[in-house]
């Protein structure tokens, strides 16, 4: 059974905002006490937060669909709906959040670091909040916005100071077990280590972490063996340690060729791994042939510029010198690393002349409006209520949408779409002459929508002609 997962695809959905309430206060001898509809509650967010007690993404491998709760609708008596609860998902330290295209959205390192993966929808305003001097008792309320729904990919990159790399059965797990309190599985067959193991080492006043990465083989950077799955865990490490087996039983292997193979795989994988400080550990010198081979290859490795340590995890020899050498490299790296600064809140206000929307004319003559405010207002409008639609028209007019449509060449009756192609609201544009609030009849009605809609009629006529031509073609019988 799988007990370690370091890459998952997560489907998250934030909560929807609650609808606003359209209500009029009523009590004895006060049949029209004014609007008292409350606002809808905000939908809950989906938040990814680093938790040091979590070490794997296994939970999201089994349950990849996560949804926050919705906001509650508003009620009469100026009672606002309850906000949806945020869904906080604990992830391991070192989790990278990506979109489906592989773009990095967030790099979560450090206890408590968080990222909002899906934003909850806003709650709709009730008619009490929509009342004004000219619209004293609105017969409508705004709808709650739907929450974000998106697919993200979570990748775990182990956060450690030192990474032990080498062939399977080179003794990496044995080495980390005697240098720290980690207790990885140890056996004499290849690919014993199936998951990265972390151990904490203390050398003098320096405390650092060591990661035992599953064994690499030729072609690991292209997906052969287990290498590609776990090379990402080496990316964050500041020091690399080549653990070379001096007592291998395979006739076609030796420590120098093993080192060359692993170095080539690190170079192909990229990420700057070939630039990291590194040491070479000649392991298993407790075996007589192993000690002889270590003494033979050590001058060659030192000639290449490597610091070489002869150790035995079984006899526990050479470990003190190795641990202090690693502590020196780690301390040097930490000293060069820039100090972490407090997170700054950056405010980027929009330009004064930025209208916040665009109007474009498409090939078929349709005018398309794109912008955060117009699209949000459309999502919040109840199109079954004429007064709500009239309120939307007034808001768009005040924003300047009508003026931009005129500049773009739109005429009365032309089709206008607000929103993206796959989810837009299309209507026939009629320029506003007076404010809609001054033309209202009964509550919930707007007489502007009683006028004929020529563009809609033209579209229906064209569709009828196409249907008629298609039917004639189907009824055609060849001689």
């Amino acid at each position: 059974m799988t007990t370690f997962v370091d890459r998952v695809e997560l489907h998250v959905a934030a909560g929807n905002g609650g609808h606003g309430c359209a209500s009029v206060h009523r009590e004895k001898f006060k049949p029209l006490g004014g609007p008292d509809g409350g606002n809808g509650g905000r939908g809950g967010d989906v938040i990814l937060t680093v938790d040091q007690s979590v070490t794997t993404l296994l939970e999201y491998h089994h349950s990849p669909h996560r949804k926050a709760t919705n906001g509650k609708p508003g009620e009469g008596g100026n009672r606002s709906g309850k906000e949806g609860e945020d869904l906080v998902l604990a992830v391991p330290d070192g989790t990278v959040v990506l979109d489906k295209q592989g773009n990095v959205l967030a790099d979560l390192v450090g206890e408590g670091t968080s990222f909002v993966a899906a934003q909850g929808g806003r709650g709709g305003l009730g008619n009490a909040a929509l009342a004004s001097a000219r619209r004293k008792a609105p017969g409508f309320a705004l709808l709650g916005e739907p929450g974000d729904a998106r697919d993200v990919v979570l990748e775990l990159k182990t956060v450690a100071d030192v990474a032990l790399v080498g062939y399977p059965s080179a003794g990496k797990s044995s080495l980390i077990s005697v240098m720290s309190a980690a207790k990885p599985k140890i056996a004499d067959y290849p690919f014993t280590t199936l998951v990265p193991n972390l151990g904490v080492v203390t050398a003098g006043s320096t405390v650092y972490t060591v990661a035992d990465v599953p064994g690499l083989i030729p072609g690991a950077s292209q997906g052969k063996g287990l290498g590609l799955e776990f090379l990402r865990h080496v990316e964050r490490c500041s020091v690399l340690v080549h653990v070379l087996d001096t007592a291998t039983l395979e006739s076609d292997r030796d420590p120098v060729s093993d080192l060359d193979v692993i170095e080539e795989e690190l170079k192909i994988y990229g990420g700057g791994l070939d630039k990291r400080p590194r040491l070479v550990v000649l392991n298993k010198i407790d075996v007589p042939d192993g000690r002889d081979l270590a003494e033979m290859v050590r001058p060659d490795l030192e000639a290449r510029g490597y610091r070489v340590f002869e150790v035995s995890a079984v006899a526990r020899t050479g470990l003190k010198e190795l641990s202090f050498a690693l502590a020196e490299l780690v301390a040097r790296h930490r000293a060069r690393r820039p100090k972490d600064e407090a997170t700054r809140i950056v405010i980027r206000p929009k330009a004064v002349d930025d209208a916040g929307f665009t109007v474009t004319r498409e090939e078929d003559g349709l005018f398309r409006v794109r912008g955060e405010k117009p699209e949000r207002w459309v999502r919040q409008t109840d199109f079954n209520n004429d007064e709500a639609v009239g309120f939307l028209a007034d808001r768009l007019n005040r924003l300047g949408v009508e003026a931009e449509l005129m500049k773009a060449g739109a005429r009365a009756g032309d089709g206008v779409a607000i929103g993206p192609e796959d989810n837009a609201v299309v209507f026939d544009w009629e320029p506003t002459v007076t404010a809609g609030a001054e033309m209202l009849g009964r509550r919930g009605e707007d007489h502007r929508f009683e006028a004929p809609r020529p563009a809609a009629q033209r579209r229906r006529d064209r569709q009828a002609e196409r249907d008629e031509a298609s039917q004639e073609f189907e009824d055609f019988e060849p001689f």
Side-chain angles (χ1 to χ4, degrees):
M1 180 180 294
T2 302
T3 58
F4 179 85
V5 174
D6 63 350
R7 190 179 191 278
V8 297
E9 183 175 336
L10 192 61
H11 312 279
V12 294
N16 300 327
H19 299 329
C21 175
S23 172
V24 175
H25 180 71
R26 289 180 174 86
E27 61 180 275
K28 193 173 183 180
F29 305 120
K30 288 186 179 181
L32 295 175
D36 66 348
N39 302 331
R42 177 188 63 87
D45 299 334
V46 179
I47 305 174
L48 304 176
T49 303
V50 173
D51 187 344
Q52 296 285 4
S53 64
V54 179
T55 58
T56 175
L57 300 172
L58 180 64
E59 179 183 356
Y60 308 118
H61 173 73
H62 294 304
S63 302
H65 297 272
R66 300 301 177 101
K67 188 181 187 310
T69 56
N70 298 330
K72 299 298 182 181
E75 299 178 3
N78 293 307
R79 289 173 292 182
S80 297
K82 182 181 178 181
E83 293 188 351
E85 295 183 3
D86 295 338
L87 177 61
V88 180
L89 304 178
V91 296
D93 191 6
T95 301
V96 180
V97 186
L98 308 99
D99 59 16
K100 295 295 290 294
Q101 290 72 38
N103 301 315
V104 177
L105 303 176
D107 193 352
L108 305 179
V109 178
E111 177 73 20
T113 306
S114 60
F115 169 70
V116 179
Q119 186 82 39
R122 300 187 185 188
L125 296 178
N127 65 341
L130 297 173
S132 64
R134 291 183 297 178
R135 183 182 274 108
K136 298 183 181 298
F140 67 97
L142 298 185
L143 303 180
E145 286 189 87
D148 294 338
R150 66 195 306 185
D151 299 333
V152 295
V153 177
L154 305 183
E155 284 189 354
L156 174 60
K157 295 182 180 180
T158 302
V159 178
D161 298 302
V162 179
L164 305 181
V165 296
Y167 266 74
S169 298
K172 300 185 298 299
S173 298
S174 300
L175 191 60
I176 197 175
S177 68
V178 295
M179 292 182 66
S180 69
K183 300 300 178 185
K185 182 180 179 181
I186 300 174
D188 60 353
Y189 53 88
F191 300 120
T192 305
T193 303
L194 299 178
V195 302
N197 297 298
L198 283 179
V200 180
V201 181
T202 303
S205 60
T206 305
V207 179
Y208 57 93
T209 55
V210 180
D212 165 25
V213 180
L216 306 178
I217 61 175
S221 58
Q222 278 76 40
K224 190 174 181 181
L226 301 177
L228 184 61
E229 294 297 323
F230 298 108
L231 271 171
R232 70 171 68 97
H233 294 276
V234 187
E235 290 185 29
R236 298 188 190 276
C237 300
S238 56
V239 180
L240 301 182
V241 176
H242 284 286
V243 181
L244 305 179
D245 187 356
T246 61
T248 179
L249 301 178
E250 301 179 30
S251 58
D252 58 341
R253 283 179 51 200
D254 64 83
V256 176
S257 62
D258 287 358
L259 175 65
D260 293 337
V261 169
I262 301 304
E263 282 289 338
E264 183 65 20
E265 293 303 319
L266 295 176
K267 182 179 180 181
I268 295 174
Y269 181 78
L273 298 184
D274 56 333
K275 308 293 185 185
R276 306 287 170 82
R278 61 245 291 128
L279 301 178
V280 172
V281 170
L282 298 174
N283 195 19
K284 303 183 182 180
I285 62 171
D286 56 289
V287 179
D289 292 341
R291 179 176 291 275
D292 294 339
L293 184 58
E295 294 177 353
M296 185 183 305
V297 301
R298 179 167 185 162
D300 187 11
L301 296 174
E302 290 179 339
R304 296 188 183 190
Y306 293 108
R307 293 181 64 183
V308 181
F309 295 84
E310 298 178 14
V311 304
S312 169
V314 175
R316 302 197 176 195
T317 58
L319 299 179
K320 183 176 181 181
E321 295 81 359
L322 175 61
S323 62
F324 275 88
L326 292 175
E328 179 185 350
L329 290 176
V330 170
R332 190 181 307 166
H333 172 77
R334 292 175 180 174
R336 290 197 304 263
R337 187 174 58 191
K339 295 182 179 180
D340 296 333
E341 297 182 358
T343 302
R344 296 180 178 180
I345 300 176
V346 180
I347 300 176
R348 296 184 176 88
K350 294 182 179 179
V352 176
D353 57 348
D354 184 6
F357 68 92
T358 59
V359 176
T360 56
R361 185 170 187 172
E362 300 182 350
E363 295 180 357
D364 57 358
L366 185 71
F367 292 86
R368 187 172 299 277
V369 180
R370 296 300 309 273
E372 179 184 352
K373 282 187 177 180
E375 293 180 31
R376 184 177 77 242
W377 293 345
V378 165
R379 291 193 298 268
Q380 293 180 321
T381 300
D382 179 8
F383 286 92
N384 294 320
N385 187 305
D386 287 348
E387 188 180 353
V389 179
F391 178 69
L392 171 64
D394 297 336
R395 299 177 87 180
L396 295 175
N397 184 29
R398 289 194 299 270
L399 185 63
V401 173
E402 290 201 359
E404 289 298 321
L405 286 171
M406 291 181 181
K407 290 181 182 179
R411 295 179 299 177
D414 287 342
V416 176
I418 301 179
E421 294 183 5
D422 57 345
N423 186 23
V425 173
V426 182
F427 60 94
D428 296 329
W429 180 54
E430 290 294 337
T432 301
V433 179
T434 55
E438 299 171 357
M439 304 189 299
L440 297 179
R442 295 179 298 176
R443 294 179 64 250
E445 296 181 355
D446 190 318
H447 73 77
R448 288 177 288 181
F449 298 96
E450 299 175 1
R453 304 173 62 193
Q457 185 61 43
R458 288 197 299 269
R459 286 196 295 271
R460 286 194 291 268
D461 293 341
R462 286 197 295 267
Q463 184 62 40
E465 292 175 0
R466 286 194 291 268
D467 295 342
E468 183 178 356
S470 176
Q471 185 64 37
E472 290 178 356
F473 178 78
E474 293 177 358
D475 296 340
F476 175 74
E477 296 182 0
F479 296 101

